[in-house]
Amino acid sequence: MLYVLESKLRSVKFYGERVMSIARSAARTVLIADAFVLSFATLSSGAERLSALPKAERGAWGAVGVVASKGPVACSGTLVAADLVVTAAHCVAHDTGLMEGIQFIAGLDGTRRIATSSAVEVLRFPVWDHAKGHNRIRLDLAVLRLGRLIPADKQKPIDLLPPEQSLPAAGALLGYQKSRGNSLYGRFGCTLERSRALGVLTSDCLATKGNSGGPVLVKYGDNWLLAAVIVAIDEDQGTTFLVEANGWLLAQVKAAEDRETARVAKPSDARP
């Protein structure tokens, strides 16, 4: 599922959620969602969509997977700790109380997968459920706590970009497509810019349905780090909206790492 902001149409459905009315002026595109007006300057329309990664490259991204539920929603997600997956909040907005219906399928490639684990807890960003207007996009983060952990020797999680590191000008967007859900799609060299008006990052690489919740990765040295999550697009302007990893997400990852430390320490602490 992916929020779509399309100024070519008078109205457009937020995939899986609501209809957004649209008005246009000569100087700007005005997007009206939940009675809140979002506006921004006209952007370049030369965007390229995410495309299927070559088979030889897909194995490097086993921490990226599909977030699947029994409902109509199919999204992407990223393993960020042994028992923790980050995705978009709107991907799991309809699954409260139905945790057994949400699964994370890591490294899905055709009929092959690295691991599958069901969620035992879903945590959406605080106040997202009641957010309106641009806050519905700006706070669109969630984590899934997995019932069966995925150990590092099976699949290493992707680390988050530390808050003290500056955001590079370009990165990679990865995710699965709803209509072609068994292969990983992506694009590298995507521009990353901050929209101060909306409080999100933007990119000229255009995502599509199913990419929601997918990672935005940046490279530091030899390592790829998660800097943001894909949440929405503006088809007309060729822009994808990204929610930056924040303090709340860092705290969720730290709690997951503490759980893993406790699990590893427990056998050695046992007394006969």
Side-chain angles (χ1 to χ4, degrees):
M1 183 169 68
L2 187 75
Y3 284 137
V4 177
L5 316 180
E6 295 187 72
S7 56
K8 287 183 179 178
L9 305 178
R10 295 299 300 172
S11 64
V12 64
K13 187 176 182 181
F14 273 61
Y15 289 119
E17 289 248 336
R18 61 183 57 75
V19 172
M20 182 176 66
S21 300
I22 291 155
R24 171 179 278 186
S25 69
R28 63 185 181 179
T29 301
V30 180
L31 309 174
I32 304 171
D34 292 340
F36 189 96
V37 178
L38 311 181
S39 63
F40 45 85
T42 301
L43 304 173
S44 168
S45 59
E48 293 186 84
R49 286 195 182 277
L50 276 61
S51 58
L53 293 180
K55 189 172 182 64
E57 296 181 13
R58 295 176 203 158
W61 310 109
V64 183
V66 172
V67 174
S69 72
K70 293 180 180 179
V73 178
C75 285
S76 303
T78 308
L79 188 72
V80 290
D83 70 351
L84 199 73
V85 170
V86 61
T87 187
H90 73 259
C91 291
V92 291
H94 303 287
D95 294 289
T96 301
L98 299 172
M99 299 327 149
E100 72 279 2
I102 305 176
Q103 285 191 322
F104 177 66
I105 308 169
L108 182 63
D109 187 11
T111 59
R112 298 182 179 183
R113 61 194 65 190
I114 290 174
T116 300
S117 184
S118 296
V120 295
E121 185 178 22
V122 173
L123 295 174
R124 293 186 289 275
F125 188 87
V127 313
W128 181 86
D129 287 357
H130 306 291
K132 302 293 183 183
H134 79 293
N135 286 327
R136 193 76 170 167
I137 296 175
R138 185 177 65 85
L139 306 176
D140 196 359
L141 280 178
V143 293
L144 313 178
R145 187 164 67 85
L146 304 178
R148 183 170 59 230
L149 62 85
I150 301 175
D153 59 358
K154 194 168 191 178
Q155 178 57 57
K156 186 178 182 296
I158 294 180
D159 293 330
L160 269 58
L161 179 69
E164 64 271 14
Q165 293 280 10
S166 59
L167 182 75
L173 274 63
L174 301 177
Y176 287 82
Q177 292 196 12
K178 191 171 184 180
S179 59
R180 301 176 178 87
N182 288 355
S183 294
L184 185 63
Y185 279 60
R187 190 166 290 279
F188 295 79
C190 300
T191 62
L192 301 176
E193 297 181 357
R194 283 192 172 87
S195 169
R196 298 194 182 279
L198 299 180
V200 296
L201 300 179
T202 63
S203 178
D204 63 349
C205 289
L206 194 59
T208 191
K209 287 184 287 186
N211 295 159
S212 270
V216 179
L217 304 176
V218 296
K219 194 168 187 180
Y220 272 91
D222 296 330
N223 299 317
W224 286 93
L225 305 175
L226 188 143
V229 170
I230 300 168
V231 297
I233 62 173
D234 179 342
E235 286 273 9
D236 189 45
Q237 303 300 336
T239 302
T240 297
F241 298 93
L242 321 165
V243 176
E244 203 165 0
N246 55 26
W248 176 81
L249 181 56
L250 286 165
Q252 299 304 317
V253 173
K254 176 65 166 58
E257 291 172 345
D258 289 345
R259 289 194 296 271
E260 178 63 8
T261 299
R263 280 191 291 262
V264 171
K266 188 173 292 186
S268 61
D269 290 345
R271 295 290 183 268

